[in-house]
Amino acid sequence: MLTSPDMEILIVEDEIEIAQLIQLSLEQEGFSCRACHDGLTALHVFQTQPPDLIVLDLRLPGLDGLELCARIRQMPSPKDPYILMLTAKGEELDRIIGLSTGADDYLVKPFSPRELVARVRALLRRSLRQIGITHTYNTQHFTVDLDQRTAYRHWEPNQSEILDITTLEFDLLSTFISYPGRVWSREQLIDKLWGSDFFGDERVVDTHVARLRKKIEPQPTNPRFIKTMIGIGYKFEDPPVQ
Ligand code: CA
């Protein structure tokens, strides 16, 4: 099971009812949660009892989500928590993503508790991989084995095929599959694949996405898995399998 009582989640949300709903949804899944309702209190809680993951509302009284996120990232801490940012519709998701805020993912309100739990699990699964507990990612149609550097496509439940992909395409697929449902900007993908010293045209990402689509999509021109987010970047969609 991925749900671990050792995983501490901090919820920062000024709308009390939403905070309670989030807390209830996560506690039902076995996560241990604390909630606070403004940025300064959150900063204090972060310093005294560092969490593994923070669900952080963008609009907060006092210190807003972006500023809190930046401060947390600069602060020395025994844990480097994942940050899931909550934004309201119309808060210019594209701009927020482009800002490299230090958040790991974004969820647009209104969202369902199920969606929230799925995102939290996806983030914590990445942390399990980093500490060496898991070395593969599984979704309904794909398996990526990071040790063997091999990727499989499952066409039918009992019919799998090793994908013939380049190193770069493997890294791109691994990045996508590490986090189904997350929206990636081109800049974020470049950081992941080439590092922050990349110099060139970010449209290079489109070229590699197009090549990967040809190898994994049933209909590359009408992609089912790697979706284009107009004006933002890309999103990989396939249900994770535990
Ligand atoms: Ca708010």
Side-chain angles (χ1 to χ4, degrees), residues 66-124:
L66 287 183
E67 199 175 340
L68 186 60
C69 197
R71 291 212 196 171
I72 283 172
R73 289 298 185 227
Q74 286 163 5
M75 212 171 263
S77 162
K79 287 180 184 170
D80 186 20
Y82 286 106
I83 297 179
L84 174 60
M85 189 83 86
L86 306 180
T87 71
K89 236 180 201 153
E91 283 181 340
E92 297 179 86
L93 184 63
D94 52 342
R95 196 179 60 86
I96 295 163
I97 289 177
L99 282 175
S100 303
T101 53
D104 297 285
D105 195 16
Y106 308 82
L107 203 50
V108 179
K109 294 177 186 174
F111 51 82
S112 70
R114 206 170 143 226
E115 177 77 11
L116 173 81
V117 168
R119 297 295 186 89
V120 164
R121 281 187 188 284
L123 281 173
L124 293 177

Side-chain angles (χ1 to χ4, degrees), residues 22 37 42 53 75 87 100-101 104 111 125-127 129 151-152 162 191 195 200 209 214 218 228 236 242:
I22 294 171
H37 312 297
L53 185 144
M75 212 171 263
T87 71
S100 303
T101 53
D104 297 285
F111 51 82
R125 195 179 299 120
R126 289 208 306 188
S127 84
R129 186 175 66 74
Y152 305 84
I162 291 183
D191 262 12
V209 165
K214 279 189 187 148
T228 300
F236 178 81
Q242 306 296 329

Side-chain angles (χ1 to χ4, degrees), residues 13-15 57 59-60 109:
E13 165 63 83
D14 58 319
E15 286 165 82
D57 188 30
R59 299 272 174 246
L60 290 168
K109 294 177 186 174

Side-chain angles (χ1 to χ4, degrees), residues 143-152 162-163 165 170:
T143 293
V144 168
D145 184 326
L146 298 165
D147 289 334
Q148 310 283 338
R149 290 192 64 83
T150 307
Y152 305 84
I162 291 183
L163 290 169
I165 54 180
F170 180 86

Side-chain angles (χ1 to χ4, degrees), residues 7-11 26 31-34 51 53 55 120 124:
M7 294 288 186
E8 290 275 342
I9 298 174
L10 173 62
I11 299 154
L26 292 171
F31 294 110
S32 151
C33 300
R34 269 191 309 268
L53 185 144
V55 178
V120 164
L124 293 177

